[in-house]
Amino acid sequence: MPTLREDSDRAPATIRKDLGTLQAAINYAHSEGYITAAPRVKLPPKPPPRDRWLTRDEAAALLQAARNNPQDRARHLCRFILVAAYTGTRSSAILGLRFMPHTTGGWVDTKRGIMHRRAAGTVETKKRQPPIPIPRQLLAHMRRWERNGARWVVEVDGQRVGNVKKAWTTALRASGIEHCTRHDLRHTAVTWAMQNGADKWAAAGYFGITLDMLERVYGHHHPDYLHSAVAAMERGNREASRFHAV
């Protein structure tokens, strides 16, 4: 059981998620007759969406730190960063990618340039993982990795990497970047797409999120954000120079 200190250090979003899981377990136990009543778990307020993303310079610094790691086995983090930054794919899905179809995760079709982010036949969840075209820069890397004998997109000595936490922490410290999680690479990819003027419908489909969430969390990064409102204000105040003396 976690101590009070350990629990207090957890992110509010994580605590809320765990309490929601507890509520679901209680409801299930009640529906199956294991308990006679289902007490209601009070959830803390939903925290505002996280808006941490990496600049191009920060991403370059993080990649350089991963490349310069004295342990060659840690170079797998470079691949992880590239895939996450180019596609916004979640960590678990990236670590499950192979260069051929399999039953436990997604796979990369380098001939057609398509990334299948979940295993064939698996049920789609709320965390949607649609197949996507691979950006040409990333596809060039992936084809090279495959030619060099890689079986997994992120691997060490031919074996799948199950967790990049240690290498991530080391690279983050070496790069001097603060307050950044692996999931923030997903925020980075979506943010960059919006900053570059991506079509919102296409971006929502590409990253596997709803249009509502895309507009609510990332909409202000788009060059067209409130553009019509600003244009209307500018058209309606053509004589604004009269106010300059105020």
Side-chain angles (χ1 to χ4, degrees):
M1 293 290 291
T3 65
L4 180 61
R5 171 65 179 173
E6 290 171 338
D7 197 58
S8 65
D9 287 340
R10 302 172 72 192
T14 303
I15 295 174
R16 192 176 192 279
K17 179 180 179 181
D18 289 347
L19 289 175
T21 302
L22 175 61
Q23 181 70 78
I26 291 174
N27 292 341
Y28 174 79
H30 181 246
S31 66
E32 293 295 314
Y34 297 120
I35 57 177
T36 58
R40 184 176 179 181
V41 177
K42 185 176 181 181
L43 301 180
K46 191 172 183 178
R50 184 176 171 85
D51 191 27
R52 174 64 168 111
W53 52 277
L54 295 176
T55 65
R56 301 280 178 173
D57 287 343
E58 286 179 320
L62 187 60
L63 265 175
Q64 189 62 44
R67 290 194 187 101
N68 292 341
N69 192 306
Q71 296 182 358
D72 288 339
R73 292 170 59 88
R75 294 286 294 274
H76 64 277
L77 182 63
C78 293
R79 297 187 180 187
F80 177 88
I81 294 171
L82 285 171
V83 176
Y86 271 113
T87 69
T89 302
R90 295 178 176 87
S91 297
S92 58
I94 293 175
L95 297 179
L97 290 171
R98 289 192 68 170
F99 286 107
M100 60 180 294
H102 63 121
T103 60
T104 59
W107 70 288
V108 175
D109 182 347
T110 54
K111 291 183 179 179
R112 297 179 58 231
I114 300 294
M115 178 190 294
H116 301 270
R117 291 190 277 202
R118 61 187 177 94
T122 57
V123 178
E124 188 74 279
T125 67
K126 290 183 179 180
K127 294 183 177 181
R128 294 179 293 174
Q129 298 175 319
I132 58 170
I134 304 171
R136 59 180 177 80
Q137 298 93 332
L138 177 61
L139 182 59
H141 285 297
M142 288 182 161
R143 285 172 172 167
R144 175 170 52 83
W145 301 340
E146 187 178 27
R147 285 196 306 269
N148 291 339
R151 296 187 302 165
W152 298 88
V153 170
V154 180
E155 65 176 27
V156 171
D157 297 333
Q159 300 299 315
R160 173 180 180 267
V161 173
N163 195 312
V164 296
K165 182 177 180 180
K166 184 176 180 180
W168 174 266
T169 301
T170 301
L172 206 64
R173 186 181 303 115
S175 67
I177 298 172
E178 298 181 353
H179 310 301
C180 183
T181 68
R182 285 159 287 167
H183 191 70
D184 287 335
L185 289 176
R186 176 170 168 80
H187 295 305
T188 297
V190 184
T191 299
W192 287 358
M194 295 297 280
Q195 289 175 340
N196 289 332
D199 176 82
K200 294 178 183 179
W201 278 99
Y206 187 88
F207 295 111
I209 57 180
T210 65
L211 182 61
D212 174 71
M213 176 176 288
L214 182 77
E215 292 181 331
R216 177 164 45 86
V217 180
Y218 305 99
H220 61 286
H221 291 292
H222 200 281
D224 290 340
Y225 178 66
L226 300 182
H227 176 73
S228 61
V230 174
M233 293 301 295
E234 291 173 346
R235 287 194 301 271
N237 292 279
R238 295 186 185 280
E239 298 182 2
S241 58
R242 291 168 47 188
F243 304 125
H244 289 174
V246 176

